[in-house]
Each structure stands twice: as C-alpha cells, then as structure tokens.
Amino acid sequence: MGKTAIKRIGLMTGGGDCPGLNAVIRAVTKAAINEHNLEVIGVHDGFLGLIEDHVMPLDFSDVSNILDLGGTILGTSNKANPSNYCTGRDDNGKPIFQDVSDKAAAVAKHHGIDVLVCIGGDGTMSAAAPMIEHGLDIIGVPKTIDNDLMHTDVTFGFDTALGIATEAIDRIRTTAASHSRVMLVETMGRTAGWIALCAGAASGADLILIPEIEYDLDVVCERCLDRSKHGKAYTIIAIAEGAKPKGGAVVVDRVVHESPEPIRLGGVSEVLCDQIAERTHLEGRATILGHVQRGGTPTAHDRVLATQFGYHAIELIVSGQLNRLVAMQKGQLTSVPLCDVADRVKLVPLDHAIVRACRAVGVSFGEK
Ligand code: F6P
C-alpha cells in the first residue's frame, strides 16, 4: 500500500491487557485524525474482531478521557490467532485449530482498512506477522507488563506493573519482620524475569528467582537459614512465575485448551514455600500477585511512553514504513521489521547491569 493511498486505519489491542493500552488508542486515534485526516476503525477483542467481524469507527468522543484508564476500551483476547484459531471441538472434546487468516483479512478489506495497528506483545506480533502474507499491512506497538519484546528497550505497562510489585514487596516486608517469616512474592513473567528482577532490586529482596537462572533449593534454604541465624529473622524472595529449580519444571496453574499458547503458569511460590519450610522449619507464606499487576491506572511514565508510541505508529504509516514494530532504543523512538520480533522473547541477560548490581549488594539468584 503506497503512503498516499492510505485513508483508513484499523486499531486493535491483542493478548493480555496492560496499563496504557487506552493511552495508545487515544494517541493513535487523535494523531491520525488531527494531523492526517485518516479514518480510524476500532477492532474489538484483538484478532477476534476481524474473525467475527466486530468493529466500530473511532472518533474523538470515543477516545476522550481514557488516557489514565486501565484495561482497553476495545477489549482483547489471547486466544485469537487467525492462523491457528480454535473453531470448535471434535467428538472427543479436543479443540480443533484452523487457519482463518483469509477470513480475517477479508473482513479488514471489507471495512476498507488499509493498515492495521496492532497493540500487543510477542503473541500478538506472532499472530500479526503472517497476516502480511494475506495482504494486510501491519504496524505493531509493543505492549506487555513483562517487558519481554525483542528490539525495544521498554514496553509500556512494565513501569506500572513494576510499581505495583515493588509496593507489594515493601508491604510484605513489614509483616515478614513482625512474624520472622520467609515471604515469597510471585510476579508474572513466564520466560523473562524482568518484573521480579526489577521489583526485587527496588525493594531490597534477599533472593530473586527468575526463569533465566535455575535455582538450587539447597542454596535458597541456606540463605534463609543464614539470615535467621544472623540477626535478620526474615527473608524476602521475589520470584517470577516462570522460575524453576535446577533440572526441574515450571509450575502450571491451568491449561487453556482453546488458546494457541495453552499453558498458564502460577504457584511456584507456594511450592517453594512448602519446600523451604520442610527443609528449614522456617515458617513461610507465599503471595501470588497475578492479575493485579495488569490492572488499574498506568503510571505517568507509561502514559507518556504510550502516547509517544501511538504517535510514532501514525508517523510510520504516513511515511509508508509499514510492517514494522514501533520501538524505543537508547531513549530514541525508532522501528524494526515486524518479522524480527515475532516468535522471539527478550530474556534478562545473565550479565545485565541490574543483575550485577544486585549481586554486588548481596542478593542471591539461588544458583550455586
Ligand atoms: O504476557 C502477559 C501475561 O500477563 C503473563 O505474564 C502471564 O503469564 C499471562 O499473561 C497470563 O495470561 P492470562 O491473562 O490468560 O491468565
């Protein structure tokens, strides 16, 4: 699609929700209309809106007063990947997955959508990239509390989640001290431990357990015992949901069969809490923060970032730079090819400056 031919854009939010989505919706819509006289079509519930033909025009009044609103006014879904979509179940109750990309692309075409702005994380970008082959131009806007999208230093939503997790650990600390307990706080983060790492660093956790570094149960227990013997009678452990013991497996909370990525994690903190108690006889409690990290008002940082990302998405569209992901690199707005981020995850590098700083101040990552 040539840059002059673009008249109408589609806008959708995909994957798990995240604080700041509405701020992007507002920025994209206002910048598109104000600066370039483009029409904006909102697609409901991620790609589900294209599969089921559920869209609405977006105007100023639709995006007014939503800058600080959590969630997404468009709705979202983390089950609707057009190339791998659950269309029903077979006689044995097994989900049937089909490729409905042509149908989704046809709906976009029917509504005159020239370019689709997809606000989402790795799952959404992986679902969006194949749509290019079906004739739909895409601009990706990086969203996720997990901060694990490749080629962007930061995603909006992360700062808000980090603040929530940090405040939670701060609050846990006082009750931990009162009761001389081992307290585990479990954050989201399936494969990347950014939230646990940064919240643990910000709140002075004693141990930080992340998916990138398998923990040794003996080391974790020794650290707790050591603290109980030397003055500080309590221990704080920040642990990502995807953390796992050496040679062990992640703890699965549920299986969402109709989702292309069916495994949902959760509960590793409870398992580890029991193991520590059994081995050390120290009393412990686990707190799973879960979706509280995804809800509510975005921080000022995330609102500003979301506004910049939304504006930059429109700049890319009008300059004809399509099928790219908006990114922030070294403090500068830029973009990268969408196919470079699909099916990839930005893990915490083991020599990351935050990891090294934590080690220097005595934090244990649970490894030998
Ligand atoms: O990707 C964002 C995320 O919040 C993960 O950290 C978490 O594992 C997952 O989504 C939870 O998904 P759901 O909302 O389906 O429980």
Side-chain angles (χ1 to χ4, degrees), residues 16 78 143-146 188-190 241 264-265 291 294:
N78 52 12
K143 158 267 29 165
T144 164
I145 65 162
D146 298 338
M188 281 189 169
R190 280 166 297 177
E241 62 183 358
R264 299 291 184 273
L265 303 182
H291 291 78
R294 293 222 311 242

Side-chain angles (χ1 to χ4, degrees), residues 170-306:
D170 289 346
R171 287 176 182 276
I172 290 287
R173 178 179 297 282
T174 59
T175 173
S178 306
H179 290 269
S180 304
R181 284 173 171 158
V182 176
M183 298 296 271
L184 297 96
V185 182
E186 181 175 323
T187 68
M188 281 189 169
R190 280 166 297 177
T191 42
W194 293 104
I195 301 178
L197 171 65
C198 295
S203 59
D206 307 300
L207 289 119
I208 298 176
L209 307 180
I210 57 176
E212 293 85 343
I213 305 175
E214 293 187 341
Y215 60 83
D216 185 309
L217 184 56
D218 292 337
V219 172
V220 172
C221 291
E222 272 161 34
R223 174 57 72 104
C224 298
L225 278 174
D226 197 47
R227 282 182 58 80
S228 75
K229 281 182 201 145
H230 297 102
K232 296 273 178 62
Y234 70 91
T235 300
I236 304 281
I237 304 178
I239 179 166
E241 62 183 358
K244 52 182 184 305
K246 212 159 180 266
V250 290
V251 176
V252 175
D253 172 46
R254 67 187 63 220
V255 180
V256 184
H257 292 285
E258 61 280 17
S259 171
E261 287 178 76
I263 304 298
R264 299 291 184 273
L265 303 182
V268 63
S269 58
E270 289 169 338
V271 172
L272 182 57
C273 186
D274 288 348
Q275 290 171 332
I276 294 170
E278 199 179 307
R279 289 190 177 213
T280 65
H281 304 293
L282 294 170
E283 193 182 8
R285 294 286 188 274
T287 303
I288 301 175
L289 298 180
H291 291 78
V292 76
Q293 296 159 98
R294 293 222 311 242
T297 310
T299 58
H301 173 276
D302 278 338
R303 294 181 213 179
V304 174
L305 189 62

Side-chain angles (χ1 to χ4, degrees), residues 40-51:
V40 184
I41 301 288
V43 177
H44 288 283
D45 303 328
F47 279 110
L48 194 62
L50 286 189
I51 296 166

Side-chain angles (χ1 to χ4, degrees), residues 307-318:
T307 302
Q308 287 182 284
F309 278 179
Y311 166 68
H312 197 65
I314 294 301
E315 290 296 291
L316 289 174
I317 290 171
V318 298

